[in-house]
Amino acid sequence: MVPSSQVVPSSEAVPVFVRLAAHPVRWRLLGELAAGDHRVRELTERLGQPQNLVSYHLRLLRDGGLVTTRRSSFDARDSYYHLDLDQCAGALSTTASSLHPALRPSTPAVPSGARVLFACTGNSARSPMAEALLRHRTDGRLDVTSAGSHPKPELHPTAILVLRKEFGLDLAGMRPRHLDSVAGRRFDYVITLCDKVREVCPEFDDATVRSHWSIPDPATASGSDDYEAFARIAVEIDTRVRHLLPVLAANHSGGHRD
């Protein structure tokens, strides 16, 4: 006979994450957004559902704190939807632990062997920060690079300062490079970090996984201190990098893909 202390009372409310994720449309939306940021029309096409239905379920996910939106820096009439993986991780951990402590998630393995390209317009802040943070979090075990469609002459000094002060990383030796400089190279993952470069990023190998992170340029942020804007963006990029690690670990346990 199962001890009563291990039985979930029937009167206990179903966890919010379970209620939100249990609907087939919302579950598919979570799956699409887990791979990267998307606009409503893209989600409508991927799900094969009418836009009003998709928008309705996106609103519920937003109200539940799992999804956020941000205006596109390429076309302000558009918005990108983003899955807050930290919120999902916390909700999933709470849900699992409510059934049994043994169901708490374990720490994922460190990936190795993957080839990753980060791209933004100027390659002076967002993409080099992502490059440095991913290399740091994988102990240099990945082939990570970054490039831009219209690279700046130098890295932004505040980007260098923020990564040194907040993460202990030195970007002083890095220089912006053009996307043309990586043409012909094979990448397992190409991740665009700004809405503008997403529209012009060249195609790579058919096996390359493309993903988009809709992140504003901290150099154009208004209403905040320059350092604060860069620090906020660096934290967001680091969060996304941390959530990329389990994906890389699942697909790359060592060596490059053929």
Side-chain angles (χ1 to χ4, degrees):
M1 185 172 179
V2 180
S4 59
S5 60
Q6 296 183 17
V7 177
V8 178
S10 59
S11 59
E12 186 172 324
V14 176
V16 173
F17 181 85
V18 174
R19 298 202 306 271
L20 286 172
H23 192 283
V25 172
R26 293 196 289 272
W27 180 251
R28 290 188 62 192
L29 286 170
L30 291 173
E32 294 292 344
L33 293 172
D37 301 348
H38 290 288
R39 295 166 286 200
V40 171
R41 65 175 179 270
E42 294 167 341
L43 294 169
T44 298
E45 292 171 359
R46 288 169 178 259
L47 270 64
Q49 298 288 346
Q51 183 168 326
N52 62 340
L53 180 66
V54 171
S55 296
Y56 166 74
H57 287 292
L58 283 171
R59 179 175 62 79
L60 294 180
L61 292 172
R62 285 183 63 189
D63 292 346
L66 300 181
V67 168
T68 61
T69 59
R70 176 178 281 153
R71 286 290 180 187
S72 168
S73 59
F74 177 75
D75 184 348
R77 296 170 298 179
D78 260 338
S79 293
Y80 277 93
Y81 283 80
H82 166 63
L83 180 62
D84 190 329
L85 287 170
D86 271 343
Q87 287 285 353
C88 285
L92 281 168
S93 178
T94 299
T95 299
S97 298
S98 69
L99 293 178
H100 195 284
L103 297 179
R104 292 190 182 99
S106 58
T107 303
V110 176
S112 61
R115 297 160 294 197
V116 182
L117 170 66
F118 291 107
C120 68
T121 300
N123 191 220
S124 64
R126 290 165 290 182
S127 55
M129 286 195 291
E131 175 187 349
L133 287 164
L134 179 57
R135 185 176 291 116
H136 169 67
R137 289 197 172 276
T138 56
D139 298 322
R141 296 169 66 183
L142 302 186
D143 180 1
V144 189
T145 191
S146 64
S149 58
H150 296 80
K152 302 286 187 179
E154 304 286 341
L155 262 61
H156 197 290
T158 310
I160 296 174
L161 179 62
V162 164
L163 256 66
R164 183 173 70 245
K165 292 186 67 174
E166 304 296 333
F167 296 92
L169 302 179
D170 185 8
L171 302 188
M174 296 177 65
R175 294 290 182 271
R177 62 175 67 86
H178 200 285
L179 279 168
D180 289 348
S181 68
V182 296
R185 288 180 57 180
R186 295 183 62 190
F187 293 99
D188 299 300
Y189 299 86
V190 172
I191 301 173
T192 49
L193 280 79
C194 79
D195 306 332
K196 294 178 181 178
V197 82
R198 186 193 187 199
E199 305 298 327
V200 299
C201 189
E203 295 296 327
F204 289 88
D205 188 88
D206 289 342
T208 299
V209 177
R210 291 282 295 266
S211 185
H212 180 57
W213 298 352
S214 180
I215 299 175
D217 184 357
T220 62
S222 60
S224 62
D225 176 75
D226 184 58
Y227 185 91
E228 178 186 340
F230 275 82
R232 185 169 58 249
I233 291 302
V235 168
E236 177 174 348
I237 292 173
D238 186 55
T239 298
R240 292 184 185 242
V241 163
R242 287 190 291 103
H243 290 303
L244 177 65
L245 296 180
V247 176
L248 298 177
N251 297 312
H252 300 272
S253 57
H256 294 322
R257 293 188 311 188
D258 295 330

PDB file of all heavy atoms in Angstrom, residues 129 155-172 225-227 230-231 234:
ATOM      1  N   MET A 129      29.577  38.817 -28.151  1.00  0.00           N
ATOM      2  CA  MET A 129      29.286  38.450 -26.765  1.00  0.00           C
ATOM      3  C   MET A 129      28.783  37.011 -26.705  1.00  0.00           C
ATOM      4  O   MET A 129      29.190  36.236 -25.831  1.00  0.00           O
ATOM      5  CB  MET A 129      28.268  39.408 -26.158  1.00  0.00           C
ATOM      6  CG  MET A 129      28.836  40.780 -25.835  1.00  0.00           C
ATOM      7  SD  MET A 129      27.789  41.779 -24.720  1.00  0.00           S
ATOM      8  CE  MET A 129      26.396  42.131 -25.785  1.00  0.00           C
ATOM      9  N   LEU A 155      35.042  46.317 -32.017  1.00  0.00           N
ATOM     10  CA  LEU A 155      34.020  45.933 -31.053  1.00  0.00           C
ATOM     11  C   LEU A 155      33.612  47.152 -30.230  1.00  0.00           C
ATOM     12  O   LEU A 155      34.427  48.046 -29.989  1.00  0.00           O
ATOM     13  CB  LEU A 155      34.551  44.851 -30.117  1.00  0.00           C
ATOM     14  CG  LEU A 155      34.177  43.400 -30.465  1.00  0.00           C
ATOM     15  CD1 LEU A 155      34.715  43.019 -31.830  1.00  0.00           C
ATOM     16  CD2 LEU A 155      34.674  42.437 -29.399  1.00  0.00           C
ATOM     17  N   HIS A 156      32.359  47.169 -29.814  1.00  0.00           N
ATOM     18  CA  HIS A 156      31.886  48.291 -29.006  1.00  0.00           C
ATOM     19  C   HIS A 156      32.597  48.257 -27.654  1.00  0.00           C
ATOM     20  O   HIS A 156      32.630  47.219 -26.987  1.00  0.00           O
ATOM     21  CB  HIS A 156      30.373  48.198 -28.807  1.00  0.00           C
ATOM     22  CG  HIS A 156      29.742  49.470 -28.356  1.00  0.00           C
ATOM     23  ND1 HIS A 156      29.945  49.986 -27.101  1.00  0.00           N
ATOM     24  CD2 HIS A 156      28.914  50.343 -28.997  1.00  0.00           C
ATOM     25  CE1 HIS A 156      29.268  51.113 -26.981  1.00  0.00           C
ATOM     26  NE2 HIS A 156      28.634  51.363 -28.132  1.00  0.00           N
ATOM     27  N   PRO A 157      33.165  49.366 -27.218  1.00  0.00           N
ATOM     28  CA  PRO A 157      33.925  49.362 -25.959  1.00  0.00           C
ATOM     29  C   PRO A 157      33.094  48.963 -24.743  1.00  0.00           C
ATOM     30  O   PRO A 157      33.625  48.358 -23.800  1.00  0.00           O
ATOM     31  CB  PRO A 157      34.425  50.808 -25.841  1.00  0.00           C
ATOM     32  CG  PRO A 157      33.566  51.613 -26.762  1.00  0.00           C
ATOM     33  CD  PRO A 157      33.184  50.691 -27.876  1.00  0.00           C
ATOM     34  N   THR A 158      31.797  49.289 -24.755  1.00  0.00           N
ATOM     35  CA  THR A 158      30.970  48.920 -23.599  1.00  0.00           C
ATOM     36  C   THR A 158      30.719  47.416 -23.565  1.00  0.00           C
ATOM     37  O   THR A 158      30.607  46.822 -22.489  1.00  0.00           O
ATOM     38  CB  THR A 158      29.638  49.683 -23.602  1.00  0.00           C
ATOM     39  OG1 THR A 158      29.888  51.075 -23.787  1.00  0.00           O
ATOM     40  CG2 THR A 158      28.890  49.489 -22.291  1.00  0.00           C
ATOM     41  N   ALA A 159      30.629  46.777 -24.740  1.00  0.00           N
ATOM     42  CA  ALA A 159      30.495  45.320 -24.783  1.00  0.00           C
ATOM     43  C   ALA A 159      31.727  44.669 -24.164  1.00  0.00           C
ATOM     44  O   ALA A 159      31.620  43.706 -23.393  1.00  0.00           O
ATOM     45  CB  ALA A 159      30.306  44.848 -26.220  1.00  0.00           C
ATOM     46  N   ILE A 160      32.892  45.193 -24.488  1.00  0.00           N
ATOM     47  CA  ILE A 160      34.136  44.677 -23.915  1.00  0.00           C
ATOM     48  C   ILE A 160      34.143  44.865 -22.403  1.00  0.00           C
ATOM     49  O   ILE A 160      34.486  43.949 -21.643  1.00  0.00           O
ATOM     50  CB  ILE A 160      35.344  45.387 -24.553  1.00  0.00           C
ATOM     51  CG1 ILE A 160      35.414  45.069 -26.056  1.00  0.00           C
ATOM     52  CG2 ILE A 160      36.635  44.981 -23.856  1.00  0.00           C
ATOM     53  CD1 ILE A 160      36.488  45.846 -26.801  1.00  0.00           C
ATOM     54  N   LEU A 161      33.730  46.059 -21.963  1.00  0.00           N
ATOM     55  CA  LEU A 161      33.736  46.377 -20.538  1.00  0.00           C
ATOM     56  C   LEU A 161      32.770  45.483 -19.761  1.00  0.00           C
ATOM     57  O   LEU A 161      33.110  44.954 -18.692  1.00  0.00           O
ATOM     58  CB  LEU A 161      33.368  47.847 -20.345  1.00  0.00           C
ATOM     59  CG  LEU A 161      33.303  48.356 -18.898  1.00  0.00           C
ATOM     60  CD1 LEU A 161      34.656  48.241 -18.225  1.00  0.00           C
ATOM     61  CD2 LEU A 161      32.801  49.793 -18.867  1.00  0.00           C
ATOM     62  N   VAL A 162      31.558  45.300 -20.294  1.00  0.00           N
ATOM     63  CA  VAL A 162      30.539  44.507 -19.595  1.00  0.00           C
ATOM     64  C   VAL A 162      30.973  43.057 -19.440  1.00  0.00           C
ATOM     65  O   VAL A 162      30.849  42.465 -18.359  1.00  0.00           O
ATOM     66  CB  VAL A 162      29.189  44.599 -20.337  1.00  0.00           C
ATOM     67  CG1 VAL A 162      28.234  43.499 -19.868  1.00  0.00           C
ATOM     68  CG2 VAL A 162      28.553  45.964 -20.113  1.00  0.00           C
ATOM     69  N   LEU A 163      31.501  42.454 -20.497  1.00  0.00           N
ATOM     70  CA  LEU A 163      31.902  41.056 -20.375  1.00  0.00           C
ATOM     71  C   LEU A 163      33.103  40.888 -19.462  1.00  0.00           C
ATOM     72  O   LEU A 163      33.238  39.854 -18.795  1.00  0.00           O
ATOM     73  CB  LEU A 163      32.161  40.450 -21.761  1.00  0.00           C
ATOM     74  CG  LEU A 163      31.003  39.534 -22.216  1.00  0.00           C
ATOM     75  CD1 LEU A 163      29.734  40.315 -22.435  1.00  0.00           C
ATOM     76  CD2 LEU A 163      31.376  38.715 -23.417  1.00  0.00           C
ATOM     77  N   ARG A 164      33.951  41.892 -19.387  1.00  0.00           N
ATOM     78  CA  ARG A 164      35.080  41.797 -18.463  1.00  0.00           C
ATOM     79  C   ARG A 164      34.622  41.931 -17.018  1.00  0.00           C
ATOM     80  O   ARG A 164      35.025  41.150 -16.149  1.00  0.00           O
ATOM     81  CB  ARG A 164      36.120  42.866 -18.799  1.00  0.00           C
ATOM     82  CG  ARG A 164      37.369  42.753 -17.905  1.00  0.00           C
ATOM     83  CD  ARG A 164      38.485  43.681 -18.322  1.00  0.00           C
ATOM     84  NE  ARG A 164      38.165  45.082 -18.058  1.00  0.00           N
ATOM     85  CZ  ARG A 164      38.007  46.003 -18.978  1.00  0.00           C
ATOM     86  NH1 ARG A 164      38.120  45.686 -20.261  1.00  0.00           N
ATOM     87  NH2 ARG A 164      37.727  47.250 -18.651  1.00  0.00           N
ATOM     88  N   LYS A 165      33.749  42.916 -16.745  1.00  0.00           N
ATOM     89  CA  LYS A 165      33.336  43.180 -15.370  1.00  0.00           C
ATOM     90  C   LYS A 165      32.303  42.185 -14.863  1.00  0.00           C
ATOM     91  O   LYS A 165      32.334  41.785 -13.708  1.00  0.00           O
ATOM     92  CB  LYS A 165      32.790  44.605 -15.273  1.00  0.00           C
ATOM     93  CG  LYS A 165      33.835  45.696 -15.464  1.00  0.00           C
ATOM     94  CD  LYS A 165      33.269  47.071 -15.217  1.00  0.00           C
ATOM     95  CE  LYS A 165      32.902  47.272 -13.757  1.00  0.00           C
ATOM     96  NZ  LYS A 165      32.479  48.666 -13.472  1.00  0.00           N
ATOM     97  N   GLU A 166      31.353  41.782 -15.722  1.00  0.00           N
ATOM     98  CA  GLU A 166      30.251  40.929 -15.267  1.00  0.00           C
ATOM     99  C   GLU A 166      30.539  39.440 -15.408  1.00  0.00           C
ATOM    100  O   GLU A 166      29.985  38.626 -14.675  1.00  0.00           O
ATOM    101  CB  GLU A 166      28.976  41.281 -16.059  1.00  0.00           C
ATOM    102  CG  GLU A 166      28.562  42.744 -15.994  1.00  0.00           C
ATOM    103  CD  GLU A 166      28.191  43.185 -14.593  1.00  0.00           C
ATOM    104  OE1 GLU A 166      27.753  42.331 -13.797  1.00  0.00           O
ATOM    105  OE2 GLU A 166      28.354  44.392 -14.289  1.00  0.00           O
ATOM    106  N   PHE A 167      31.397  39.074 -16.373  1.00  0.00           N
ATOM    107  CA  PHE A 167      31.632  37.652 -16.634  1.00  0.00           C
ATOM    108  C   PHE A 167      33.109  37.261 -16.577  1.00  0.00           C
ATOM    109  O   PHE A 167      33.434  36.080 -16.706  1.00  0.00           O
ATOM    110  CB  PHE A 167      31.063  37.265 -18.010  1.00  0.00           C
ATOM    111  CG  PHE A 167      29.572  37.406 -18.112  1.00  0.00           C
ATOM    112  CD1 PHE A 167      29.004  38.585 -18.566  1.00  0.00           C
ATOM    113  CD2 PHE A 167      28.727  36.354 -17.758  1.00  0.00           C
ATOM    114  CE1 PHE A 167      27.623  38.726 -18.668  1.00  0.00           C
ATOM    115  CE2 PHE A 167      27.359  36.488 -17.852  1.00  0.00           C
ATOM    116  CZ  PHE A 167      26.796  37.673 -18.294  1.00  0.00           C
ATOM    117  N   GLY A 168      34.004  38.231 -16.413  1.00  0.00           N
ATOM    118  CA  GLY A 168      35.424  37.929 -16.356  1.00  0.00           C
ATOM    119  C   GLY A 168      36.004  37.476 -17.672  1.00  0.00           C
ATOM    120  O   GLY A 168      37.004  36.738 -17.694  1.00  0.00           O
ATOM    121  N   LEU A 169      35.415  37.909 -18.787  1.00  0.00           N
ATOM    122  CA  LEU A 169      35.871  37.489 -20.114  1.00  0.00           C
ATOM    123  C   LEU A 169      36.533  38.655 -20.839  1.00  0.00           C
ATOM    124  O   LEU A 169      36.089  39.794 -20.749  1.00  0.00           O
ATOM    125  CB  LEU A 169      34.694  36.967 -20.944  1.00  0.00           C
ATOM    126  CG  LEU A 169      33.922  35.787 -20.347  1.00  0.00           C
ATOM    127  CD1 LEU A 169      32.778  35.389 -21.267  1.00  0.00           C
ATOM    128  CD2 LEU A 169      34.850  34.607 -20.117  1.00  0.00           C
ATOM    129  N   ASP A 170      37.575  38.345 -21.591  1.00  0.00           N
ATOM    130  CA  ASP A 170      38.336  39.367 -22.300  1.00  0.00           C
ATOM    131  C   ASP A 170      38.041  39.299 -23.792  1.00  0.00           C
ATOM    132  O   ASP A 170      38.372  38.315 -24.457  1.00  0.00           O
ATOM    133  CB  ASP A 170      39.834  39.161 -22.048  1.00  0.00           C
ATOM    134  CG  ASP A 170      40.688  40.266 -22.667  1.00  0.00           C
ATOM    135  OD1 ASP A 170      40.109  41.261 -23.144  1.00  0.00           O
ATOM    136  OD2 ASP A 170      41.920  40.119 -22.680  1.00  0.00           O
ATOM    137  N   LEU A 171      37.418  40.353 -24.331  1.00  0.00           N
ATOM    138  CA  LEU A 171      37.115  40.427 -25.757  1.00  0.00           C
ATOM    139  C   LEU A 171      38.100  41.324 -26.503  1.00  0.00           C
ATOM    140  O   LEU A 171      37.933  41.554 -27.711  1.00  0.00           O
ATOM    141  CB  LEU A 171      35.702  40.983 -25.980  1.00  0.00           C
ATOM    142  CG  LEU A 171      34.516  40.250 -25.355  1.00  0.00           C
ATOM    143  CD1 LEU A 171      33.215  40.848 -25.858  1.00  0.00           C
ATOM    144  CD2 LEU A 171      34.572  38.772 -25.669  1.00  0.00           C
ATOM    145  N   ALA A 172      39.094  41.811 -25.826  1.00  0.00           N
ATOM    146  CA  ALA A 172      39.970  42.830 -26.408  1.00  0.00           C
ATOM    147  C   ALA A 172      40.640  42.359 -27.697  1.00  0.00           C
ATOM    148  O   ALA A 172      40.909  43.158 -28.590  1.00  0.00           O
ATOM    149  CB  ALA A 172      41.026  43.259 -25.394  1.00  0.00           C
ATOM    150  N   ASP A 225      21.030  53.939 -19.002  1.00  0.00           N
ATOM    151  CA  ASP A 225      22.467  54.127 -19.037  1.00  0.00           C
ATOM    152  C   ASP A 225      23.097  53.161 -20.036  1.00  0.00           C
ATOM    153  O   ASP A 225      22.647  52.022 -20.190  1.00  0.00           O
ATOM    154  CB  ASP A 225      23.030  53.890 -17.636  1.00  0.00           C
ATOM    155  CG  ASP A 225      24.544  53.983 -17.616  1.00  0.00           C
ATOM    156  OD1 ASP A 225      25.071  55.111 -17.690  1.00  0.00           O
ATOM    157  OD2 ASP A 225      25.182  52.914 -17.533  1.00  0.00           O
ATOM    158  N   ASP A 226      24.146  53.607 -20.718  1.00  0.00           N
ATOM    159  CA  ASP A 226      24.810  52.786 -21.727  1.00  0.00           C
ATOM    160  C   ASP A 226      25.267  51.456 -21.149  1.00  0.00           C
ATOM    161  O   ASP A 226      24.999  50.390 -21.709  1.00  0.00           O
ATOM    162  CB  ASP A 226      25.998  53.570 -22.297  1.00  0.00           C
ATOM    163  CG  ASP A 226      26.695  52.825 -23.417  1.00  0.00           C
ATOM    164  OD1 ASP A 226      26.032  52.506 -24.411  1.00  0.00           O
ATOM    165  OD2 ASP A 226      27.911  52.559 -23.295  1.00  0.00           O
ATOM    166  N   TYR A 227      25.937  51.486 -20.015  1.00  0.00           N
ATOM    167  CA  TYR A 227      26.430  50.255 -19.402  1.00  0.00           C
ATOM    168  C   TYR A 227      25.269  49.348 -19.012  1.00  0.00           C
ATOM    169  O   TYR A 227      25.310  48.132 -19.230  1.00  0.00           O
ATOM    170  CB  TYR A 227      27.269  50.581 -18.178  1.00  0.00           C
ATOM    171  CG  TYR A 227      27.918  49.364 -17.549  1.00  0.00           C
ATOM    172  CD1 TYR A 227      29.186  48.963 -17.933  1.00  0.00           C
ATOM    173  CD2 TYR A 227      27.248  48.610 -16.587  1.00  0.00           C
ATOM    174  CE1 TYR A 227      29.785  47.834 -17.366  1.00  0.00           C
ATOM    175  CE2 TYR A 227      27.820  47.501 -16.019  1.00  0.00           C
ATOM    176  CZ  TYR A 227      29.098  47.111 -16.411  1.00  0.00           C
ATOM    177  OH  TYR A 227      29.662  45.987 -15.862  1.00  0.00           O
ATOM    178  N   PHE A 230      23.845  47.486 -22.078  1.00  0.00           N
ATOM    179  CA  PHE A 230      24.711  46.395 -22.524  1.00  0.00           C
ATOM    180  C   PHE A 230      24.704  45.245 -21.524  1.00  0.00           C
ATOM    181  O   PHE A 230      24.726  44.067 -21.916  1.00  0.00           O
ATOM    182  CB  PHE A 230      26.135  46.912 -22.745  1.00  0.00           C
ATOM    183  CG  PHE A 230      26.363  47.510 -24.097  1.00  0.00           C
ATOM    184  CD1 PHE A 230      25.987  48.818 -24.357  1.00  0.00           C
ATOM    185  CD2 PHE A 230      26.939  46.767 -25.118  1.00  0.00           C
ATOM    186  CE1 PHE A 230      26.187  49.378 -25.611  1.00  0.00           C
ATOM    187  CE2 PHE A 230      27.144  47.318 -26.371  1.00  0.00           C
ATOM    188  CZ  PHE A 230      26.768  48.636 -26.625  1.00  0.00           C
ATOM    189  N   ALA A 231      24.687  45.560 -20.230  1.00  0.00           N
ATOM    190  CA  ALA A 231      24.672  44.511 -19.214  1.00  0.00           C
ATOM    191  C   ALA A 231      23.389  43.689 -19.297  1.00  0.00           C
ATOM    192  O   ALA A 231      23.408  42.460 -19.158  1.00  0.00           O
ATOM    193  CB  ALA A 231      24.821  45.126 -17.826  1.00  0.00           C
ATOM    194  N   ALA A 234      23.632  41.440 -22.291  1.00  0.00           N
ATOM    195  CA  ALA A 234      24.598  40.360 -22.034  1.00  0.00           C
ATOM    196  C   ALA A 234      23.976  39.261 -21.185  1.00  0.00           C
ATOM    197  O   ALA A 234      24.192  38.068 -21.434  1.00  0.00           O
ATOM    198  CB  ALA A 234      25.840  40.923 -21.349  1.00  0.00           C
TER     199      ALA A 234
END
